[in-house]
Amino acid sequence: MGKTEGTVHVVILAGGSGTRFWPVSRMERPKQFLSISETGESLIQATARRNMPLGGGNAPVWIVTNGLQEVITREHVPTARILTEPFGKNTAASIGLAAAHICKEDPNSIMVVLAADHAVQNEAVYQKTLEEAVRLAQVTDNLITIGIKPASPNTAYGYIKKGEHIQDNGFKVNRFFEKPSLERAMQYFDSPDFFWNSGMFAWKTSVLRSLNEYAPQLFSGLSEYTEFIGTENEKKELKKFFEKIESISIDFAVLEHAKNCAVVCSDDFGWNDVGSWDAWAEHYSKDEKGNLVKGDVMIFDSENCIIRSDNRFVALVGCENLVVIECKDATLVCARDQVQDVKKIVAALQANGRFELI
Amino acid sequence: MGKTEGTVHVVILAGGSGTRFWPVSRMERPKQFLSISETGESLIQATARRNMPLGGGNAPVWIVTNGLQEVITREHVPTARILTEPFGKNTAASIGLAAAHICKEDPNSIMVVLAADHAVQNEAVYQKTLEEAVRLAQVTDNLITIGIKPASPNTAYGYIKKGEHIQDNGFKVNRFFEKPSLERAMQYFDSPDFFWNSGMFAWKTSVLRSLNEYAPQLFSGLSEYTEFIGTENEKKELKKFFEKIESISIDFAVLEHAKNCAVVCSDDFGWNDVGSWDAWAEHYSKDEKGNLVKGDVMIFDSENCIIRSDNRFVALVGCENLVVIECKDATLVCARDQVQDVKKIVAALQANGRFELI
């Protein structure tokens, strides 16, 4: 693919905190640095690797992160260009920041925007889908979201209803839907028109000029900041810009208002957002009683348990449906049907000033 | 009480391994060094303290232990005289060893024999009972066991059926019974004649001459060894003696055969042998959901759990009826109804050569 079609730049948003993966995930080492593969490759490393082939190969990778995670991010993906936000201000700011840098260097480019901490099992189908989104971005001015055929009536994901056909698997977006009730999720699941909103995007970097229409404050701040990219005042100006702007997601700031939204619809490629220890365990094989055991662990009379020991010996006797995670300075014992509540621990630790544990 | 009535010597048997208290209890620091009180007093310290008043006060305390535990035993009970066995050879040998030393110094004495790792809640009733046993030992040549009115049809204890009345609460022993089935335990519990065999004894030290009748090998070995007490060859001779003798309990070696067995029957004085983490927890107060929490612990939506953290932070979410014990190098997670199986872990660790963990 030549320059005329626009070089593909991969933008990985890596500012998440991953509190549901406590105690392994911490402020300074959140979920994207966890591994879900036997090879030990971290989620962020896998994300960078599987997107490199986009647009003909060796797509430049940009990672937007924060100061706390800058060093570890560089260790995990040494080839990436890292943009460090002075504060977390949600995805509109992160994507705007990346767009400003890419646009300054390469105005005729395509941005693919991805989360750092999602898992993909079928990389071939994934790459085919992303290539199609890139092609559609090259030939139209649409803001394209990847939609995934629901594998279940999942209530933890947003949904997209597809509209008018554009080309191949590309459609105009009829409407975005927030995380639904189970009843609604069942309806969406039964309909051929609804797709999971993966939070993966592709568009011409220049198309983000439409920010001017929907988020004028963000746009003008970005425009001012762009002038300072590459100068000695870059950091200072970035801080000024981030201090001023609103904390808002790209969905609320732009996609829900813009008329040029499209969706590239794909079969499920084994995608999930690895939202809990339970989801993490799906990526590993279990023993004959359904136990997942990682590390120095002994189990007796136990079933359907997830046990991960990073440091010290752990023994289970007579346990069922438990998640036990042992790490350097803390141990979690959690019922499998309450793994979403692990974030309550992090909130309570924060409220109690136990910052060394979060 | 004067010399004529025989000075009381307290003999504490402290060679146990306490594998059901893994991971806190270890070969080098078994159960008797655990605390079950808010004051932090260990079981062995409590045992020494509550028996000191016997026989008019300041009864000499002897502790029979092994080489591994000699130093920690001395730290816990600095005033005790410590007898160190070269090998564990069960209670007949331990009691014989203590008797030999005491008899050599004080032939006209009374021995009170106790386990190091039992708990007593009502010390006043306990002491009254022990004083009565001492009195009976002073005026008769009986081998006296303390019998406790069962508080439950416990199947983990042996039982004693009382016979002919001697004096006060003292009776001849009709028969000793091993740990019963639940059905039998219910019968014993309903009968006025059955008492828990506490494993606490009192007798004239000299009465152990009856060993000659029931355990002649042990008796002759002891007699030989006694000649060397206080000489430079004492240790060497003790080893020779222990190498030769049978490993047998005082119950099997003597009490089940002897005709001069008596029982002093007592109301329950809140005695238990602290046989598991569950029994340990009985000694502490719980929160309104029945959780016992010791150490740096947070719990959410959890009920009837026992959580002890000695070193690092532990968090529980959505757990019920669990025992979670965290210590320096290991963590136990166990269903409360399977606490007896904790010893399986120790057995497996031993089988796998993980000696650092036992």
Side-chain angles (χ1 to χ4, degrees):
Chain A
M1 247 169 253
K3 265 289 186 209
T4 51
E5 290 175 314
T7 306
V8 176
H9 290 249
V10 174
V11 175
I12 299 175
L13 306 183
S17 61
T19 55
R20 284 171 297 185
F21 280 91
W22 186 89
V24 173
S25 172
R26 298 293 173 94
M27 294 287 280
E28 294 181 23
R29 192 187 175 82
K31 177 184 145 200
Q32 59 265 28
F33 304 106
L34 263 68
S35 169
I36 57 162
S37 84
E38 302 290 354
T39 66
E41 187 183 43
S42 66
L43 287 167
I44 195 169
Q45 285 170 331
T47 302
R49 180 189 46 70
R50 75 174 161 258
N51 287 289
M52 224 101 85
L54 291 182
N58 289 313
V61 172
W62 300 73
I63 299 178
V64 186
T65 186
N66 57 49
L68 266 180
Q69 297 161 23
E70 190 179 327
V71 171
I72 184 173
T73 300
R74 212 177 287 284
E75 282 168 12
H76 276 243
V77 192
T79 56
R81 298 181 61 177
I82 293 176
L83 299 170
T84 303
E85 296 177 319
F87 326 101
K89 281 277 175 118
N90 215 327
T91 52
S94 306
I95 292 169
L97 174 62
H101 279 264
I102 296 169
C103 224
K104 184 142 189 171
E105 281 187 17
D106 190 0
N108 186 35
S109 56
I110 303 290
M111 275 173 87
V112 168
V113 180
L114 307 158
D117 56 2
H118 290 178
V120 166
Q121 273 170 333
N122 188 334
E123 295 199 355
V125 175
Y126 170 84
Q127 279 157 354
K128 203 170 132 283
T129 304
L130 269 285
E131 288 292 3
E132 187 177 338
V134 166
R135 270 198 310 279
L136 190 60
Q138 281 163 335
V139 299
T140 69
D141 279 349
N142 282 305
L143 299 165
I144 299 153
T145 304
I146 307 298
I148 298 166
K149 183 87 200 131
S152 66
N154 199 311
T155 59
Y157 298 146
Y159 286 72
I160 301 172
K161 188 179 179 189
K162 73 179 182 188
E164 195 187 325
H165 185 233
I166 306 172
Q167 65 175 43
D168 301 331
N169 296 301
F171 297 82
K172 296 296 283 184
V173 167
N174 176 289
R175 214 187 123 184
F176 292 97
F177 292 86
E178 289 292 290
K179 294 174 188 179
S181 66
L182 182 59
E183 197 189 358
R184 287 228 175 237
M186 307 272 274
Q187 289 167 15
Y188 300 167
F189 182 62
D190 286 338
S191 161
D193 296 333
F194 285 80
F195 294 82
W196 283 341
N197 182 345
S198 68
M200 295 188 269
F201 310 113
W203 48 59
K204 288 199 181 85
T205 312
S206 58
V207 167
L208 273 194
R209 270 186 301 245
S210 58
L211 278 178
N212 198 17
E213 195 174 338
Y214 309 111
Q217 189 210 12
L218 179 63
F219 183 77
S220 71
L222 265 177
S223 303
E224 276 174 48
Y225 165 69
T226 305
E227 297 303 310
F228 293 95
I229 291 176
T231 72
E232 61 182 14
N233 289 325
E234 178 180 327
K235 273 210 168 155
K236 206 179 78 187
E237 292 296 321
L238 182 65
K239 195 162 168 240
K240 256 166 67 182
F241 162 50
F242 263 70
E243 271 166 355
K244 274 190 301 201
I245 53 167
E246 196 183 358
S247 178
I248 189 169
S249 72
I250 193 77
D251 308 76
F252 281 124
V254 179
L255 299 179
E256 302 219 340
H257 309 292
K259 285 169 195 71
N260 57 331
C261 288
V263 55
V264 166
C265 298
S266 169
D267 282 341
D268 179 30
F269 38 74
W271 171 80
N272 80 57
D273 71 352
V274 198
S276 68
W277 282 114
D278 219 48
W280 171 80
E282 282 171 25
H283 297 269
Y284 293 96
S285 55
K286 319 288 187 298
D287 71 14
E288 70 284 355
K289 287 184 169 172
N291 299 297
L292 166 62
V293 171
K294 305 283 283 179
D296 192 9
V297 174
M298 266 188 194
I299 50 176
F300 298 86
D301 307 320
S302 295
E303 281 181 24
N304 298 317
C305 291
I306 299 169
I307 312 122
R308 169 177 166 151
S309 160
D310 285 0
N311 291 265
R312 283 166 291 267
F313 181 71
V314 172
L316 258 70
V317 180
C319 295
E320 280 179 23
N321 301 309
L322 277 191
V323 175
V324 178
I325 310 289
E326 186 272 352
C327 74
K328 192 165 63 71
D329 53 0
T331 300
L332 166 70
V333 182
C334 181
R336 276 186 78 160
D337 58 4
Q338 286 183 246
V339 284
Q340 298 298 333
D341 288 342
V342 170
K343 58 180 186 286
K344 285 188 188 172
I345 300 167
V346 180
L349 287 168
Q350 186 139 30
N352 289 318
R354 300 292 302 273
F355 301 111
E356 77 282 11
L357 287 168
I358 59 178
Chain B
M1 245 168 255
K3 268 286 190 208
T4 52
E5 290 175 312
T7 306
V8 176
H9 289 250
V10 174
V11 175
I12 299 176
L13 305 183
S17 62
T19 55
R20 283 172 298 185
F21 280 90
W22 185 91
V24 173
S25 172
R26 299 291 173 96
M27 294 287 280
E28 295 183 20
R29 192 187 176 80
K31 178 182 145 202
Q32 60 264 30
F33 304 107
L34 263 67
S35 169
I36 56 162
S37 86
E38 302 290 354
T39 66
E41 186 183 43
S42 67
L43 287 166
I44 196 170
Q45 285 171 330
T47 303
R49 180 188 46 70
R50 75 172 161 259
N51 287 289
M52 223 102 85
L54 291 182
N58 289 312
V61 172
W62 301 73
I63 300 178
V64 186
T65 186
N66 57 49
L68 266 179
Q69 297 160 24
E70 189 178 329
V71 171
I72 185 173
T73 300
R74 213 176 285 284
E75 282 167 13
H76 277 243
V77 192
T79 56
R81 298 180 62 174
I82 294 177
L83 298 170
T84 303
E85 297 177 319
F87 325 101
K89 281 276 174 116
N90 214 329
T91 51
S94 306
I95 292 170
L97 174 63
H101 280 263
I102 296 168
C103 224
K104 183 141 189 174
E105 281 186 17
D106 189 0
N108 186 34
S109 57
I110 304 290
M111 273 174 89
V112 168
V113 180
L114 307 158
D117 57 2
H118 290 177
V120 167
Q121 273 168 336
N122 189 333
E123 296 199 355
V125 175
Y126 170 84
Q127 279 157 354
K128 204 171 132 280
T129 305
L130 270 284
E131 289 292 2
E132 187 178 338
V134 166
R135 269 198 311 277
L136 191 60
Q138 282 164 334
V139 299
T140 69
D141 280 349
N142 282 305
L143 298 165
I144 300 154
T145 304
I146 306 296
I148 298 168
K149 182 88 203 131
S152 66
N154 200 311
T155 57
Y157 297 145
Y159 286 72
I160 301 172
K161 187 178 179 189
K162 74 180 183 188
E164 196 188 325
H165 185 233
I166 307 173
Q167 64 175 45
D168 301 332
N169 295 300
F171 296 82
K172 296 296 284 183
V173 167
N174 176 289
R175 212 186 124 184
F176 293 97
F177 292 86
E178 288 293 289
K179 294 175 187 180
S181 65
L182 182 59
E183 197 188 359
R184 286 227 175 237
M186 307 272 273
Q187 289 167 14
Y188 299 167
F189 182 62
D190 287 338
S191 160
D193 295 333
F194 284 80
F195 294 82
W196 283 341
N197 182 346
S198 68
M200 298 187 269
F201 310 113
W203 47 60
K204 288 197 182 88
T205 312
S206 58
V207 168
L208 274 193
R209 269 186 301 246
S210 58
L211 278 176
N212 198 16
E213 193 173 339
Y214 309 111
Q217 189 210 13
L218 179 63
F219 183 76
S220 71
L222 265 178
S223 302
E224 277 174 46
Y225 165 69
T226 305
E227 298 302 311
F228 293 94
I229 292 177
T231 72
E232 60 181 15
N233 289 325
E234 178 180 326
K235 273 208 167 156
K236 205 180 77 187
E237 292 297 322
L238 182 64
K239 195 161 170 241
K240 256 167 67 183
F241 162 49
F242 263 71
E243 272 166 354
K244 274 190 300 201
I245 52 169
E246 195 182 358
S247 177
I248 188 169
S249 71
I250 192 77
D251 308 77
F252 281 125
V254 178
L255 300 179
E256 303 217 341
H257 309 291
K259 284 167 196 75
N260 57 331
C261 288
V263 55
V264 167
C265 299
S266 169
D267 282 341
D268 180 29
F269 37 74
W271 171 81
N272 81 57
D273 71 352
V274 198
S276 68
W277 282 114
D278 219 48
W280 172 80
E282 282 172 25
H283 297 269
Y284 293 96
S285 55
K286 318 289 187 297
D287 70 14
E288 69 284 356
K289 287 181 170 175
N291 299 296
L292 166 61
V293 172
K294 304 284 283 179
D296 192 8
V297 173
M298 267 189 195
I299 51 176
F300 298 86
D301 307 321
S302 295
E303 281 180 24
N304 298 318
C305 291
I306 299 168
I307 312 122
R308 170 180 167 149
S309 159
D310 286 1
N311 291 265
R312 284 166 292 267
F313 181 71
V314 172
L316 258 70
V317 181
C319 295
E320 280 180 21
N321 301 310
L322 277 189
V323 174
V324 178
I325 310 289
E326 187 272 352
C327 74
K328 193 166 62 72
D329 54 358
T331 300
L332 166 70
V333 182
C334 179
R336 275 187 79 161
D337 58 5
Q338 285 182 250
V339 285
Q340 298 298 334
D341 288 343
V342 170
K343 58 181 186 287
K344 285 188 187 171
I345 300 167
V346 180
L349 287 167
Q350 186 139 30
N352 289 318
R354 299 293 301 272
F355 301 111
E356 77 282 11
L357 287 168
I358 59 178

